[in-house]
Amino acid sequence: MPVESGSGAAARQAKQKRKSHSLSIRRTNSTEQERSGLQRDMLEAQDSKLPLSLRSNLLDLFSQIEREFENLYIENLELRREIETLNDRLAAEGQTFEGADLAKGALKTKASHSTSQLSQKLKTTYKASTSKIVSSFKATTSRAVCQLVREYVSHRDGIWDLSVTRTQPVVLGTASADHTAMLWSIETGKCLLKYMGHQGSVNSIKFHPTEQMALTASGDQTAHIWRYMVQLPTPQPVADISTPCEDDVDFSDKDEADGEVEGPNDCPSVRVPTTTLRSHQGVVIAADWLVAGKQVVTASWDRAANLYDVETSELVHSLTGHDQELTHCCTHPTQRLVVTSSRDTTFRLWDFRDPSIHSVNVFQGHTDTVTSAVFTVGDNVVSGSDDRTVKVWDLKNMRSPIATIRTDSAVNRISVSVTQKIIALPHDNRQVRLFDMSGVRLARLPRSNRQGHRRMVCCSAWCEDNTSCNLFTCGFDRQAIGWNINIPALLQEK
C-alpha cells in the first residue's frame, strides 16, 4: 500500500485550509447581506438629524470596515495555524536532519526567522487594508467640500506661479515658462491680457496692493513692472465638471497637455514694461511688493535679494548672506518684513521697520531646499521644503517650529488663507493637500483621469473673497485650476 509523502500531506492540508477559508468568506458575505438589511431597517427607525442618504453612506463605509477586519481576522487565524505547522515541521526536521541532531540554537534561529517573516506579512496586510479603508473614507468627504470649478488653459509651457489681484477688477494672473504672463477672468476662464515683455521664463507674478500694476520676475535676469487695463466679460454658467471619481489614478498615458495648445486669438497683449529692474547676475526667481507698494524685493539665483524703489528704479539694498541660490521671497502684508528662501536649507527674515538699520535672522529648520516661506496675517511664518515637510513658526520666538507637517512628496510654493489660516500645499506628486496651522490634515483636492493636475503642482493661491473660486493652483501641465473649498464644512469635519 503506497505511503503518502510528507510534502503531499502538507499540500493536501493547505488545500483543505484554503477551501475552508473560502467557505467561511462565503458564509461571511451571506450573513453580511442579512446583517446589512437589518441595520438599514434599524437606521430608518432611529431618530437622527442626519439626512437619510448621508446616514446610508456612513453605514456602507462602516460595513466595509467591519467586513475588511473580519476577513483580516480570518486570515490571522490561518496564518497562526501555518506558523504552528511550520514550527512542528521544523522540529521534526531537526530530529532527523542528515542523520544528526540539529543544534537547538540553529533550530530556534530558523523557526524564529520564519515566524518573523509571517508576522511581518500579517502586519503589512493589516496596514494596507486599513489604509485603503481610511483613504476611501477621506476621499469621499474631500469631494464633498473641495470641487474643481474651472480650468485656465492657454499657456504653451508649464506655469510656475499665480496670483490674484488685490483691487477691482479681480482677475487671476499666471507666470509661465513660455516667456509670458497672462491675466484671466476668474468666472469665465477667458484670457484677458497677455504680457510678452520678457525674454526668458516668467517665474513669478504679484499685483500692486492698490493700483493696476503687475510685478513679474524672469529668467532673463530682470524684473518688470507693467500696467494693465482689462474689461471683464459677462459671466457664463459654471459647468459641473466635478463628477465623482476615484483619487490617485495615474493617467500619465492619457496626458492631453503634451500636445500644442492654441493661444487665444482675441487676447490683447502688452510688450513694453513701465519699469525694468536690473542688477542681478542670474535668474530672478521671485519678486514681491512691500507694504504700500512703493518698494519691491527680488530674489535671484545669484544668491542675493535686492530691494528697489519703484518710482526711481534704484537699488536701495542688496541682501546677501545665503550660501546658495534663492528660491522664493515674500513680504509681510502689513509690516516692512521680508523673508527669503534658499537652496542652502535656510530661510532669512529681513526687518526694514527701522529706516536707519535693517536686521536679519537666519532659520535652519529644514534638511533640504526651502522652496518657499510665507507670512500669515498674524505673527506666523510657514515654510515648505524639498525635505517633504512644512513648518509653522512664531515670529516672536522662532527658535523652533510650533508645528511640523510631514508629507510624502516635496512641497512647492505654499499659500495660507487670510481668515481661517488654512495652508494649501502643492506637491511634486501632483497632489494638493490642505492643513490647518496646528498640522492637522483637512483635505486632499480630488484628482483623477478627468480632473486635477497631470504634472507637478508648482504653486497655490487663496482668494477667499471670491464666491465661485477661492483657491487656485497651477502646475507643469500648463494649466491653472480654480477650486471651490467649502471652508465651514471643511472645518466642521475637522
Side-chain angles (χ1 to χ4, degrees):
M1 186 173 180
V3 179
E4 187 176 24
S5 65
S7 61
R12 186 181 64 177
Q13 185 179 9
K15 184 176 181 180
Q16 290 174 349
K17 288 180 180 179
R18 287 195 298 270
K19 185 176 180 181
S20 63
H21 178 62
S22 176
L23 290 173
S24 65
I25 291 178
R26 288 199 196 100
R27 288 195 297 269
T28 300
N29 291 338
S30 62
T31 56
E32 178 64 31
Q33 293 176 357
E34 297 173 0
R35 187 186 313 160
S36 178
L38 293 174
Q39 288 176 339
R40 290 184 187 281
D41 293 340
M42 294 175 61
L43 180 68
E44 293 177 356
Q46 290 177 354
D47 183 18
S48 174
K49 296 180 180 179
L50 293 175
L52 182 60
S53 59
L54 179 58
R55 294 164 63 194
S56 177
N57 188 24
L58 289 173
L59 179 62
D60 290 339
L61 288 171
F62 286 119
S63 297
Q64 181 186 354
I65 293 173
E66 182 182 4
R67 185 163 58 253
E68 290 290 340
F69 276 106
E70 192 170 1
N71 291 339
L72 284 173
Y73 177 72
I74 294 172
E75 186 175 355
N76 187 8
L77 294 178
E78 295 300 328
L79 288 173
R80 287 179 181 274
R81 295 193 190 100
E82 290 182 16
I83 292 173
E84 294 173 359
T85 303
L86 178 62
N87 287 335
D88 293 341
R89 189 167 73 244
L90 288 174
E93 290 176 357
Q95 294 173 359
T96 58
F97 183 73
E98 295 184 357
D101 290 339
L102 187 65
K104 290 183 179 181
L107 177 61
K108 275 186 175 182
T109 302
K110 189 173 182 181
S112 175
H113 178 68
S114 302
T115 305
S116 175
Q117 285 182 330
L118 289 170
S119 299
Q120 186 62 35
K121 178 183 176 182
L122 177 61
K123 290 178 181 178
T124 304
T125 304
Y126 170 79
K127 288 181 178 179
S129 300
T130 53
S131 296
K132 184 177 180 181
I133 296 169
V134 174
S135 296
S136 63
F137 180 79
K138 285 187 175 180
T140 303
T141 56
S142 294
R143 285 194 294 270
V145 298
C146 307
Q147 293 185 338
L148 187 153
V149 177
R150 196 166 300 282
E151 296 173 340
Y152 306 87
V153 181
S154 275
H155 280 293
R156 297 178 179 270
D157 209 336
I159 304 175
W160 290 117
D161 196 24
L162 81 173
S163 181
V164 180
T165 58
R166 298 186 244 181
T167 59
Q168 295 293 333
V170 178
V171 297
L172 173 69
T174 55
S176 172
D178 65 6
H179 299 191
T180 69
M182 290 186 180
L183 305 187
W184 307 80
S185 165
I186 293 176
E187 285 72 18
T188 66
K190 179 182 178 182
C191 177
L192 304 176
L193 186 143
K194 178 191 290 188
Y195 180 70
M196 306 176 67
H198 284 292
Q199 302 302 313
S201 169
V202 184
N203 300 319
S204 79
I205 181 169
K206 289 291 184 292
F207 293 100
H208 193 278
T210 58
E211 299 182 37
Q212 293 187 11
M213 292 196 298
L215 169 66
T216 50
S218 174
D220 60 13
Q221 303 185 7
T222 68
H224 289 181
I225 298 174
W226 43 278
R227 291 187 175 274
Y228 62 89
M229 291 185 62
V230 294
Q231 183 175 359
L232 296 180
T234 304
Q236 300 295 326
V238 178
D240 184 12
I241 57 178
S242 56
T243 54
C245 53
E246 293 297 325
D247 284 354
D248 297 326
V249 177
D250 187 359
F251 51 97
S252 56
D253 294 336
K254 302 179 181 180
D255 188 4
E256 300 174 356
D258 287 338
E260 286 296 322
V261 178
E262 292 297 328
N265 295 325
D266 57 346
C267 181
S269 62
V270 175
R271 297 177 180 271
V272 180
T274 305
T275 303
T276 300
L277 305 176
R278 311 175 187 271
S279 287
H280 286 293
Q281 304 303 313
V283 169
V284 183
I285 196 64
D288 201 359
W289 303 86
L290 267 74
V291 60
K294 294 182 179 181
Q295 292 180 324
V296 299
V297 62
T298 57
S300 172
W301 283 4
D302 63 9
R303 306 183 185 184
N306 289 341
L307 188 68
Y308 295 92
D309 182 270
V310 172
E311 185 177 354
T312 63
S313 306
E314 292 182 357
L315 177 64
V316 180
H317 289 294
S318 184
L319 313 178
T320 59
H322 282 291
D323 295 329
Q324 295 188 39
E325 295 92 336
L326 273 65
T327 57
H328 191 251
C329 65
C330 180
T331 60
H332 194 280
T334 60
Q335 303 181 61
R336 290 177 55 79
L337 298 172
V338 175
V339 61
T340 56
S341 311
S342 172
R343 291 185 60 187
D344 62 11
T345 74
T346 71
F347 66 94
R348 295 181 176 231
L349 177 65
W350 309 82
D351 190 346
F352 296 100
R353 287 176 291 188
D354 186 346
S356 60
I357 186 172
H358 67 271
S359 62
V360 58
N361 293 291
V362 183
F363 302 98
Q364 301 174 337
H366 292 281
T367 59
D368 206 338
T369 298
V370 181
T371 53
S372 64
V374 299
F375 292 100
T376 67
V377 173
D379 294 325
N380 296 111
V381 172
V382 184
S383 59
S385 171
D386 279 344
D387 65 8
R388 304 181 180 183
T389 67
V390 172
K391 296 178 185 289
V392 181
W393 308 79
D394 187 347
L395 279 175
K396 298 176 182 177
N397 182 16
M398 296 188 67
R399 295 180 180 177
S400 60
I402 58 177
T404 298
I405 301 170
R406 304 188 186 279
T407 68
D408 60 351
S409 179
V411 181
N412 296 310
R413 293 183 176 179
I414 60 180
S415 64
V416 183
S417 64
V418 175
T419 57
Q420 299 296 339
K421 294 186 179 181
I422 299 175
I423 312 169
L425 276 56
H427 290 285
D428 275 0
N429 66 358
R430 302 172 287 180
Q431 300 289 352
V432 180
R433 296 183 174 94
L434 306 180
F435 288 81
D436 67 9
M437 294 289 286
S438 60
V440 176
R441 175 176 157 179
L442 302 177
R444 178 180 59 191
L445 301 192
R447 191 189 67 82
S448 72
N449 58 349
R450 293 186 180 181
Q451 64 178 23
H453 286 288
R454 299 173 175 85
R455 292 288 183 265
M456 170 182 73
V457 189
C458 299
C459 181
S460 63
W462 287 94
C463 180
E464 295 172 274
D465 295 334
N466 192 282
T467 56
S468 60
C469 302
N470 54 4
L471 176 64
F472 298 91
T473 58
C474 65
F476 241 63
D477 53 3
R478 311 178 189 177
Q479 68 173 339
I481 297 179
W483 304 86
N484 182 272
I485 311 299
N486 188 339
I487 295 180
L490 193 68
L491 298 177
Q492 186 176 6
E493 287 184 1
K494 170 185 171 184

